[in-house]
Amino acid sequence: NLASGSSLPVATGKKYGQYRLEVVGDEEIEVPAGTFRCLHVRVPGGSTTELWLAYDRALLPVKIQHTDRKGDVYVQLATTIELSQEQ
């Protein structure tokens, strides 16, 4: 269960680290892969990353939005999601 103040390990192209989360709330969003009820979280800082984690898809991110220090915004949207049925 993610809550504000939790930390999440994140790997980027430059580094790997633990990042503190702020929970924004529950939202339903539509992306090319479909419509999902999501937990919206934010990783605050000089640059901000926001994640929309789909409840019914093992909390996989279906949308990632990064705003860099200059204010430029980059958005990634899930186009397909395939989960293995193996346990």
Side-chain angles (χ1 to χ4, degrees), residues 1-2 37-39 52-62:
N1 189 7
L2 296 175
R37 193 170 73 78
C38 297
L39 174 63
W52 285 261
L53 309 172
Y55 283 114
D56 64 347
R57 296 294 190 271
L59 290 179
L60 287 172
V62 293

Side-chain angles (χ1 to χ4, degrees), residues 31-34 36 57 60-62 77-83:
V31 296
F36 300 96
R57 296 294 190 271
L60 287 172
V62 293
L77 302 174
T79 56
T80 60
I81 297 175
E82 295 181 22
L83 295 176

Side-chain angles (χ1 to χ4, degrees), residues 48-78:
T48 301
T49 301
E50 296 182 70
L51 304 157
W52 285 261
L53 309 172
Y55 283 114
D56 64 347
R57 296 294 190 271
L59 290 179
L60 287 172
V62 293
K63 179 178 178 181
I64 302 171
Q65 179 173 300
H66 179 75
T67 306
D68 69 16
R69 296 177 194 276
K70 295 182 285 184
D72 293 329
V73 178
Y74 304 91
V75 178
Q76 294 176 300
L77 302 174

Side-chain angles (χ1 to χ4, degrees), residues 13-58:
K14 297 180 182 179
K15 62 182 178 177
Y16 172 83
Q18 294 282 335
Y19 292 86
R20 185 179 58 82
L21 297 177
E22 289 179 355
V23 173
V24 178
D26 290 344
E27 294 179 19
E28 185 171 281
I29 67 166
E30 186 175 344
V31 296
T35 300
F36 300 96
R37 193 170 73 78
C38 297
L39 174 63
H40 180 185
V41 297
R42 177 182 298 126
V43 181
S47 61
T48 301
T49 301
E50 296 182 70
L51 304 157
W52 285 261
L53 309 172
Y55 283 114
D56 64 347
R57 296 294 190 271

